[in-house]
Amino acid sequence: MSSAERVRVRGVSIYRPIIYGNTAVLIKPEERSSGNPHHTHRWTVAVRSAASNPDSGIVGGADDLSYFIKRVTFKLHDTYANPNRNVDKAPFELTETGWGEFEIQIRITFVPDSGEKALIMYHHLKLHPWTLDPATHNQIPPYEEAVKAGPVHSWQYDEIVFIDPFQSFLNTLMAHPPTPLPKAKRSGRSVPFHSNHATQESLDASKEGVPEFVATMEPEEHERLANARRTLVAEQDKWRGILIDKEKELERLKKRVAALQ
Ligand code: SLL
């Protein structure tokens, strides 16, 4: 890389939408004996592009992220052999079997050209559906019941923001624009989010097919902003009223002090 390309482009920030999370399915009781008989679930943890390929049947993953991600390390629970699992090429995902939920550390190492530090995120592996019969929702459901709920999905939307990127890395990013999220759901279940860099939403759709992240529809966004503005104005009015009352009280007390002196 030439020295000119090692220059940071000041004032520029560029982001890439990603999702991270897991899906899980039950292992049929008759298949359990072939592996570890205690392992009840087969799960996949992944870092993917946020947009889905509608025909793929998977959540996210329309774009290959290896133009900016070099490695994803999934750190599993200590009950797993070799808990640090490196994935060095797309798709950045890992499939395992197990019986319990735990926190997975997800470490994203960017391509060397980026000059970026690794990013660490956490995802709570989810194996059990959230949306079963309310009478039993706090318990792990029996196999027959859980299987009816279908695969479990638990995903977070996030945006990786690169601030003042190196010129060469900026070129790389701009050569790979992310597939835009659809405006509305195409199939399965959709999950609207507000494209605000700090916003994260998780989703769980065990029953209604493969969920998909979608861009918030514009009228919805307008409505949300209008509501926020109304709340702010009401708050301002309230505090202005309080301030006026306090000032009046202060005047009254000052007069009393003056009268006493
Ligand atoms: C729990 N805190 O108690 C969690 C730990 C560990 C899950 C869950 C595989 C273990 C193996 C596995 O599912 N570990 O193969 O021994 O729920």
Side-chain angles (χ1 to χ4, degrees), residues 36 39 43 77 79-80 97-102 127:
N36 183 325
H39 287 192
W43 48 261
H77 193 264
T79 46
Y80 284 89
T97 62
W99 52 265
E101 300 186 345
F102 58 93
L127 303 182

Side-chain angles (χ1 to χ4, degrees), residues 203-217:
L203 66 104
D204 175 52
S206 328
K207 282 188 178 153
E208 296 161 73
V210 179
E212 181 178 34
F213 282 86
V214 298
T216 303
M217 302 274 281

Side-chain angles (χ1 to χ4, degrees), residues 42 44 60 67 82 87 122 137 145 190 219-220 235 248:
R42 175 168 291 103
T44 299
Y67 67 93
N82 313 312
V87 181
Y122 294 87
H137 78 279
E145 212 177 303
S190 64
E220 251 176 61
E235 279 285 291
K248 277 187 192 149

Side-chain angles (χ1 to χ4, degrees), residues 12-16 65 67-69 110-111 114 116 160-163 165-178:
V12 166
S13 75
I14 180 166
Y15 73 90
R16 285 295 174 266
L65 301 183
Y67 67 93
F68 75 101
I69 294 178
F110 298 103
V111 293
S114 70
E116 296 285 334
I160 302 182
V161 185
F162 302 104
I163 297 163
F166 284 115
Q167 182 65 66
S168 62
F169 186 49
L170 181 60
N171 294 346
T172 305
L173 291 171
M174 290 197 312
H176 297 87

